[in-house]
Amino acid sequence: MNTKVAIITGASSGMGAATAKLLAQHGIKVMLAARREERLRELCKEIMKEGGEASFKVTDVTSYADMEALADATLKTYGQIDIMINNAGVMPLSFFKSLKVNEWEQMIDVNIKGVLYGMAVVYKHMEERNEGHIINFGSIASHVIFPSSSVYSATKSAVRVLTEGMRAEIGSTQKIRTTLICPGSVATELSNTITDTSIFPALEKLGNKEWTPLEANDIANTILFAIQQPANVDINEMIVRPTAQSL
Ligand SMILES: NC(=O)c1ccc[n+]([C@@H]2O[C@H](COP(=O)([O-])OP(=O)(O)OC[C@H]3O[C@@H](n4cnc5c(N)ncnc54)[C@H](OP(=O)(O)O)[C@@H]3O)[C@@H](O)[C@H]2O)c1
């Protein structure tokens, strides 16, 4: 693991930050990307204080130019990219009737285009080396659709399709692995992006109420598991819910 290099988008909080810390603890060099510079700087410091190796690049995943600059900076700093973790995402759930068109567009830009750009900017490098691992974040919401989730679920379903499409197209001829992580409920800042407060009573009625959300580190562990498999083993998709989550 000591020679591997991973880019992690959305590394400024939640599962991205937890994954960055865990991978660094296992000797993987991490390039952190997100928009909030101060958080990236602090996380970098924390990782290096613990003996890990980390750098950061302020990146908006909706900008192809930013994503190209992120891949270039990683190659300049570490010489290679072994793992691309397309984790950045937003989830401003809303009822269709609320017509939050700007938020639909934001979800499409971050959750779909951001992931697609992330796959694109590492593709040539991985193809040339004939190895690499692309890890994309889907969601349980691509398997379970509920009132207010339609656009978010659509974006996460698109990520499923893109991940499987890349696997079918290049996975069989190259040594590039693709993994889709579909978390259930995880305690992070993600729901802060919800502005349509009219959805909350409906969300309250969904599923059982007994589950405690997973910790971000639970998902980081599943990512490490996928990475640690031998090169001929490709964990294509993992759905990871709290045991008691019915939805
Ligand atoms: N939490 C859950 O229950 C859950 C369940 C299923 C799937 N997921 C998925 O898991 C992934 C991680 O989410 P999380 O729960 O860890 O939430 P989070 O703590 O809110 O993290 C989201 C990350 O995305 C980054 N981001 C948002 N817009 C961006 C942009 N335009 N450019 C670059 N980075 C951007 C944020 O960083 P900046 O704001 O600093 O840019 C932040 O680091 C997401 O794809 C989410 O959809 C979460």
Side-chain angles (χ1 to χ4, degrees):
M1 300 288 269
N2 279 340
T3 56
K4 285 194 189 289
V5 176
I7 296 176
I8 304 168
T9 69
S12 59
S13 63
M15 291 183 259
T19 302
K21 282 194 238 176
L22 187 69
L23 298 195
Q25 282 161 10
H26 284 78
I28 297 175
K29 300 177 182 95
V30 289
M31 173 61 85
L32 315 176
R35 293 164 305 172
R36 286 171 292 179
E37 181 168 4
E38 205 37 51
R39 285 210 184 191
L40 295 178
R41 191 184 305 283
E42 282 308 310
L43 181 57
C44 240
K45 271 194 213 158
E46 198 184 319
I47 289 172
M48 290 194 289
K49 211 170 148 194
E50 286 178 11
E53 201 158 333
S55 303
F56 72 88
K57 179 107 178 94
V58 174
T59 306
D60 185 337
V61 298
T62 68
S63 157
Y64 192 68
D66 272 22
M67 291 299 279
E68 282 186 305
L70 172 64
D72 289 348
T74 310
L75 290 175
K76 207 168 158 205
T77 309
Y78 297 123
Q80 66 195 58
I81 302 165
D82 300 282
I83 304 155
M84 177 75 197
I85 304 181
N86 289 305
N87 157 75
V90 290
M91 189 192 68
L93 300 175
S94 63
F95 286 134
F96 193 84
K97 66 182 179 194
S98 302
L99 297 178
K100 298 258 184 190
V101 177
N102 290 341
E103 293 181 0
W104 299 348
E105 285 176 355
Q106 188 199 8
M107 280 191 277
I108 289 166
D109 286 346
V110 177
N111 299 359
I112 303 180
K113 287 190 191 170
V115 170
L116 195 49
Y117 293 167
M119 295 163 83
V121 296
V122 298
Y123 174 69
K124 274 210 174 99
H125 174 72
M126 289 184 176
E127 186 195 33
E128 273 163 23
R129 294 178 72 217
N130 199 19
E131 67 177 281
H133 196 166
I134 293 176
I135 300 176
N136 291 339
F137 266 71
S139 168
I140 192 61
S142 67
H143 294 270
V144 180
I145 324 299
F146 51 91
S148 81
S149 86
S150 53
V151 179
Y152 180 70
S153 290
T155 64
K156 291 301 185 180
S157 300
V159 175
R160 270 181 84 194
V161 172
L162 292 171
T163 313
E164 174 57 13
M166 182 174 253
R167 188 205 63 77
E169 208 173 300
I170 62 166
S172 53
T173 53
Q174 306 243 356
K175 291 180 186 155
I176 299 174
R177 301 192 287 182
T178 58
T179 298
L180 180 73
I181 308 285
C182 291
S185 173
V186 186
T188 68
E189 299 170 17
L190 192 69
S191 56
N192 294 354
T193 51
I194 298 173
T195 64
D196 184 1
T197 51
S198 70
I199 69 171
F200 292 130
L203 289 185
E204 275 293 303
K205 290 189 195 123
L206 281 177
N208 61 332
K209 292 287 155 294
E210 278 72 47
W211 79 73
T212 305
L214 298 175
E215 297 296 328
N217 206 44
D218 296 323
I219 300 299
N221 279 324
T222 67
I223 291 174
L224 183 65
F225 172 76
I227 290 172
Q228 283 177 328
Q229 297 310 301
N232 67 323
V233 178
D234 188 1
I235 306 283
N236 295 134
E237 179 169 355
M238 285 197 274
I239 300 177
V240 190
R241 291 181 176 94
T243 306
Q245 178 175 343
S246 62
L247 189 67

